Amino acid sequence: MAPYSLLVTRLQKALGVRQYHVASVLCQRAKVAMSHFEPNEYIRYDLLEKNIDIVRKRLNRPLTLSEKIVYGHLDDPAKQEIERGKTYLRLRPDRVAMQDATAQMAMLQFISSGLPKVAVPSTIHCDHLIEAQLGGEKDLRRAKDINQEVYNFLATAGAKYGVGFWRPGSGIIHQIILENYAYPGVLLIGTDSHTPNGGGLGGICIGVGGADAVDVMAGIPWELKCPKVIGVKLTGSLSGWTSPKDVILKVAGILTVKGGTGAIVEYHGPGVDSISCTGMATICNMGAEIGATTSVFPYNHRMKKYLSKTGREDIAKLADEYKDHLVPDPGCHYDQLIEINLNELKPHINGPFTPDLAHPVAEVGTVAEKEGWPLDIRVGLIGSCTNSSYEDMGRSAAVAKQALAHGLKCKSQFTITPGSEQIRATIERDGYAQILREVGGIVLANACGPCIGQWDRKDIKKGEKNTIVTSYNRNFTGRNDANPETHAFVTSPEIVTALAIAGTLKFNPETDFLTGKDGKKFKLEAPDADELPRAEFDPGQDTYQHPPKDSSGQRVDVSPTSQRLQLLEPFDKWDGKDLEDLQILIKVKGKCTTDHISAAGPWLKFRGHLDNISNNLLIGAINVENGKANSVRNAVTQEFGPVPDTARYYKKHGIRWVVIGDENYGEGSSREHAALEPRHLGGRAIITKSFARIHETNLKKQGLLPLTFADPADYNKIHPVDKLTIQGLKDFAPGKPLKCIIKHPNGTQETILLNHTFNETQIEWFRAGSALNRMKELQQQ
């Protein structure tokens, strides 16, 4: 094989790319490392400044913070066409982060690329495959045993290709990034939809699919549609029971699950300074639930304080020097502006079944009674990547301590998920964990756990109607425990704790009283806790594996008989013809998230084996024809059966198929398996009213056609028994609609128009069969 540098040079030359490894170039003003783990990879504020100056002169207007960071990472700031919401930007991210469930496919794709080492700092984080069952240590030991093959693959692949590896038990990817890798002005992409968590430290951190990560790791410019910018102006200050979580719960209620699509949400205003750095991260994290590309806060003293406390005072000092580039320009323009007075904001709880159904805590009990939602709370769950900071745990412990002082414990079951090993060790040292155990809590492993469906729940049977409250970010049907009758509500950790103590949705801690063991009534005081530990953080156990300097002898083995891992075969190229007589696999009714398309929970174990995980394709989607999940008509046999079985039947018999979807198809997690699976099983197009951003890109990367109805009402013209022909692919061009001929069983036909958002590069992906196929073509050239 040719030397690494020669391979990269060839690939970059073919793509018209400049010689790239900018992170290794020394800063002119100071040499400050991106992280302690990469002492020779430096922050390039000088390059950010240079690019911003070029773009500002071109646009001749004030810039938002989002624009400064995004445009500051342009591959060619002098010539790049820039128009919000329209043009595609070619960007140079600073780093890549992958969680273990998505890293498997990302690394398998990187291996297929033929490149011997990543071109930018990259990390793998083992957080998704640990099931909550008995408690932290026991669950971690069990996970290491069950997932040994996968962990070994990721560890050896990381060592082989220069990727840092965070072992199981390290913590959740987003908390690890906040503690070690995020910094003001960074452009980071992560293979998880809640990567925007890093916006709490002033970075533009964007969730993507694994194929996008492969592009960046290969040193290729990453393409992103130029985002619009939604401004959220905060005034007043947080106090009492109101928390940072309530800010995003309120915003979600305003914008809904698709209101942020194609936009960055930029928080600003005097109210920002009343929010801790980790509180800002909470708000940015859950911005994924409104479909936003990402969210960001301006650099301020709360971020500086957090950087210093996490051992990065040198980064804080450098950020101070470049602060003008890490805040918005006065007079900058936002495409939409929302104003929230934090003095008037009340504690919120959102749900069930969708994270944008917002209720004040004071009203949710009444609404629940009216709607027939169960009032009794079976389980309260705190932690997750959204709310597992030291401050979050401290505020929850402050509530629990009051209950214990009156002889009370939780009426509901109660679980605690530390966000990282550092958080776990520190709350153990400072007594928070013990208080939460004494009130009835179980401390789970430092992992995602129930938040992503990794929960071996025993207290109910599937189909039993019940209520849980969490400090998580998502509450889609069946998300946490695979039970479609679990009514999940999302709120702050301190409200979860108070509700778990009371045991009912009817309890409002701001006004209602509890009865102590002595029979006396008392009211919980609003919690108060330190933003950061007074002593230094306790780092806990060392769980990081550095990639070796010399990886030439490192082997990465994938057994051909493995049920967990499978090397990838290239997808077939487009045959140059229109897509004729496509069979409709399923016409989906209503909400269809990536959880519906490719379920998580027990299916996570197959994330590295495309054929096995394809057995969950669309099993959660509701079929318009019969109102059922995982039950579709086989057009040949006329029998109803599971969606994956029907898709495999069509593939075996050479029948190409299409999916018809509703609004915001593919919202939720970034999992590219939701795009890989339909491609693997013979799908050619997904036609919907609208798409969620990440899923639409993932579909394009795998050579599928994500198309939208030019007239959304045309969704009603297509019936599951119809056949579709998509015309115009020979002249496929950006902005040019495609024709779709609907062939009804009675012999009649009608023609509709289908829109798309493909650019020239993405059309090349389609023609090559996938983005990875196109990368290989360019290497061969």
Side-chain angles (χ1 to χ4, degrees):
M1 180 178 284
Y4 165 66
S5 58
L6 181 58
L7 277 173
V8 173
T9 300
R10 287 176 180 169
L11 180 58
Q12 292 169 340
K13 187 174 181 181
L15 291 164
V17 177
R18 71 171 186 265
Q19 298 299 308
Y20 179 58
H21 204 174
V22 296
S24 64
V25 181
L26 303 185
C27 291
Q28 295 176 3
R29 207 178 298 188
K31 285 175 58 176
V32 176
M34 284 187 182
S35 80
H36 298 308
F37 302 102
E38 297 134 356
N40 297 317
E41 304 285 357
Y42 301 105
I43 294 174
R44 290 301 314 274
Y45 281 152
D46 60 323
L47 182 60
L48 185 78
E49 181 178 59
K50 178 182 176 182
N51 289 351
I52 290 172
D53 288 344
I54 293 171
V55 172
R56 182 181 277 114
K57 288 176 183 176
R58 287 183 55 201
L59 299 182
N60 193 30
R61 61 172 174 78
L63 300 177
T64 66
L65 171 60
S66 307
E67 291 179 305
K68 287 182 179 182
I69 301 175
V70 172
Y71 304 162
H73 286 82
L74 285 169
D75 182 54
D76 187 355
K79 297 179 181 178
Q80 170 71 60
E81 187 178 358
I82 299 171
E83 186 175 357
R84 286 188 198 170
K86 292 188 177 180
T87 59
Y88 278 84
L89 307 178
R90 288 163 63 87
L91 301 169
R92 291 291 188 178
D94 296 301
R95 66 180 310 119
V96 173
M98 300 168 280
Q99 41 96 333
D100 51 355
T102 50
Q104 295 171 64
M105 195 56 67
M107 292 309 296
L108 286 166
Q109 290 177 88
F110 187 81
I111 291 169
S112 296
S113 76
L115 293 170
K117 189 157 288 195
V118 297
V120 299
S122 304
T123 50
I124 294 169
H125 304 259
C126 295
D127 62 358
H128 270 57
L129 301 179
I130 303 169
E131 185 180 50
Q133 190 179 63
L134 301 173
E137 292 183 11
K138 292 179 181 178
D139 292 346
L140 181 58
R141 283 198 301 270
R142 180 170 174 265
K144 287 179 177 178
D145 180 54
I146 292 173
N147 303 306
Q148 182 179 10
E149 179 185 16
V150 171
Y151 291 147
N152 179 65
F153 166 73
L154 293 174
T156 55
K160 178 71 174 177
Y161 298 103
V163 179
F165 179 70
W166 289 84
R167 300 183 185 93
S170 300
I172 305 174
I173 177 173
H174 312 302
Q175 184 67 25
I176 297 292
I177 288 171
L178 200 70
E179 293 172 356
N180 299 281
Y181 298 117
Y183 59 83
V186 70
L187 177 60
L188 179 152
I189 69 165
T191 60
D192 189 279
S193 55
H194 293 104
T195 301
N197 191 79
L201 207 39
I204 293 293
C205 303
I206 301 175
V208 299
D212 278 352
V214 172
D215 281 354
V216 179
M217 290 191 292
I220 299 172
W222 174 59
E223 291 198 345
L224 175 73
K225 194 170 189 179
C226 188
K228 294 184 178 181
V229 186
I230 297 173
V232 179
K233 183 178 181 181
L234 302 178
T235 59
S237 61
L238 293 176
S239 62
W241 283 92
T242 307
S243 73
K245 188 67 164 277
D246 297 308
V247 176
I248 186 57
L249 294 177
K250 177 71 172 179
V251 171
I254 295 169
L255 289 177
T256 77
V257 290
K258 61 178 181 177
T261 302
I264 294 176
V265 178
E266 183 173 311
Y267 294 85
H268 62 284
V272 167
D273 286 339
S274 75
I275 305 172
S276 67
C277 177
T278 52
M280 290 186 248
T282 292
I283 294 168
C284 291
N285 177 295
M286 202 174 155
E289 311 324 315
I290 56 173
T293 300
T294 191
S295 302
V296 68
F297 278 83
Y299 177 61
N300 67 359
H301 71 282
R302 308 298 283 263
M303 295 182 192
K304 182 176 181 178
K305 185 177 180 181
Y306 183 80
L307 284 168
S308 298
K309 201 68 174 180
T310 52
R312 295 175 286 171
E313 190 172 1
D314 53 346
I315 295 179
K317 289 179 179 177
L318 188 64
D320 284 341
E321 293 186 45
Y322 288 89
K323 185 173 182 179
D324 287 347
H325 302 304
L326 304 174
V327 296
D329 286 340
C332 64
H333 171 71
Y334 295 103
D335 296 283
Q336 180 181 351
L337 184 63
I338 297 169
E339 295 194 32
I340 297 176
N341 185 341
L342 300 180
N343 291 335
E344 299 173 355
L345 186 63
K346 287 292 186 180
H348 273 64
I349 182 168
N350 288 21
F353 306 127
T354 184
D356 60 348
L357 185 57
H359 320 275
V361 171
E363 299 173 11
V364 70
T366 301
V367 175
E369 283 184 319
K370 181 181 177 182
E371 298 293 335
W373 303 332
L375 290 173
D376 290 342
I377 298 168
R378 298 295 288 267
V379 191
L381 306 99
I382 66 169
S384 83
C385 67
T386 316
N387 279 107
S388 57
S389 69
Y390 184 82
E391 181 182 33
D392 289 328
M393 295 298 167
R395 286 173 68 87
S396 291
V399 174
K401 194 172 182 179
Q402 294 179 61
L404 289 169
H406 290 84
L408 296 186
K409 291 191 176 185
C410 291
K411 289 185 178 179
S412 310
Q413 293 184 39
F414 187 44
T415 69
I416 302 97
T417 304
S420 69
E421 171 60 9
Q422 179 170 275
I423 292 296
R424 183 208 62 79
T426 306
I427 66 171
E428 288 285 2
R429 181 197 68 193
D430 293 352
Y432 291 167
Q434 185 57 31
I435 291 170
L436 295 171
R437 287 191 189 97
E438 288 176 4
V439 84
I442 297 175
V443 178
L444 301 174
N446 313 323
C448 299
C451 183
I452 58 161
Q454 285 284 51
W455 185 14
D456 184 20
R457 190 176 180 190
K458 301 293 188 183
D459 65 298
I460 61 160
K461 295 179 180 178
K462 190 169 183 178
E464 182 179 344
K465 197 173 180 180
N466 74 105
T467 285
I468 64 173
V469 293
T470 83
S471 70
Y472 303 162
N473 40 48
R474 289 201 172 124
N475 58 350
F476 303 138
T477 302
R479 165 83 177 183
N480 305 117
D481 61 3
N483 179 13
E485 289 301 324
T486 292
H487 293 56
F489 293 84
V490 176
T491 185
S492 69
E494 51 265 49
I495 294 293
V496 171
T497 307
L499 293 177
I501 291 165
T504 175
L505 282 178
K506 288 283 285 183
F507 181 69
N508 176 11
E510 287 192 303
T511 58
D512 294 345
F513 287 80
L514 295 168
T515 302
K517 192 174 181 180
D518 59 4
K520 296 181 179 179
K521 293 187 178 296
F522 71 98
K523 193 169 78 169
L524 293 170
E525 298 294 328
D528 185 33
D530 291 333
E531 173 182 348
L532 295 163
R534 296 179 185 181
E536 297 305 310
F537 276 109
D538 184 337
Q541 300 178 37
D542 182 6
T543 55
Y544 179 71
Q545 172 187 292
H546 288 270
K549 292 182 179 179
D550 181 7
S551 62
S552 57
Q554 181 68 54
R555 290 181 57 85
V556 182
D557 294 322
V558 176
S559 169
T561 61
S562 173
Q563 294 300 303
R564 298 288 301 271
L565 298 165
Q566 181 186 48
L567 292 174
L568 296 175
E569 295 290 334
F571 290 132
D572 59 300
K573 289 184 64 172
W574 175 56
D575 61 9
K577 301 176 182 178
D578 288 336
L579 298 174
E580 297 186 352
D581 292 330
L582 295 173
Q583 187 62 55
I584 296 170
L585 176 67
I586 182 173
K587 182 180 179 182
V588 178
K589 178 182 179 181
K591 185 186 284 284
C592 189
T593 72
T594 48
D595 282 277
H596 294 91
I597 303 167
S598 176
W603 291 96
L604 286 170
K605 61 178 173 286
F606 296 125
R607 285 286 180 88
H609 197 294
L610 180 54
D611 193 57
N612 281 346
I613 199 170
S614 293
N615 288 321
N616 75 1
L617 175 65
L618 286 159
I619 61 175
I622 302 301
N623 181 10
V624 161
E625 188 173 5
N626 57 12
K628 295 181 180 180
N630 203 26
S631 175
V632 294
R633 184 195 302 272
N634 183 314
V636 178
T637 67
Q638 293 300 307
E639 296 177 353
F640 280 85
V643 182
D645 293 358
T646 308
R648 288 187 186 278
Y649 180 95
Y650 290 160
K651 181 180 181 180
K652 180 180 178 181
H653 291 83
I655 301 170
R656 296 184 294 186
W657 50 264
V658 61
V659 170
I660 307 301
D662 211 317
E663 294 275 7
N664 206 32
Y665 184 90
E667 71 173 277
S669 297
S670 68
R671 65 192 67 156
E672 65 181 332
H673 297 78
L676 283 158
E677 292 174 33
R679 182 74 164 96
H680 174 64
L681 294 184
R684 300 307 302 172
I686 313 292
I687 304 172
T688 72
K689 294 180 182 177
S690 63
F691 285 98
R693 174 191 64 85
I694 300 177
H695 186 59
E696 182 179 21
T697 301
N698 286 346
L699 291 167
K700 293 177 183 177
K701 286 278 185 176
Q702 304 308 333
L704 281 153
L705 288 172
L707 306 171
T708 56
F709 297 105
D711 179 357
D714 287 343
Y715 169 89
N716 298 316
K717 293 180 179 179
I718 297 177
H719 305 287
V721 292
D722 295 336
K723 289 187 178 181
L724 307 181
T725 291
I726 298 173
Q727 296 181 334
L729 293 175
K730 293 179 181 179
D731 301 316
F732 199 11
K736 185 177 181 180
L738 299 172
K739 287 184 179 180
C740 177
I741 299 174
I742 307 170
K743 300 179 180 180
H744 301 299
N746 62 7
T748 62
Q749 297 183 5
E750 51 188 317
T751 301
I752 62 174
L753 292 179
L754 301 175
N755 291 333
H756 65 85
T757 60
F758 281 80
N759 61 25
E760 291 288 358
T761 300
Q762 295 165 346
I763 290 172
E764 289 178 0
W765 298 344
F766 170 74
R767 289 172 176 155
S770 71
L772 188 58
N773 287 0
R774 181 57 180 158
M775 183 190 297
K776 290 180 180 178
E777 287 180 353
L778 292 169
Q779 282 181 270
Q780 291 166 1
Q781 294 171 9

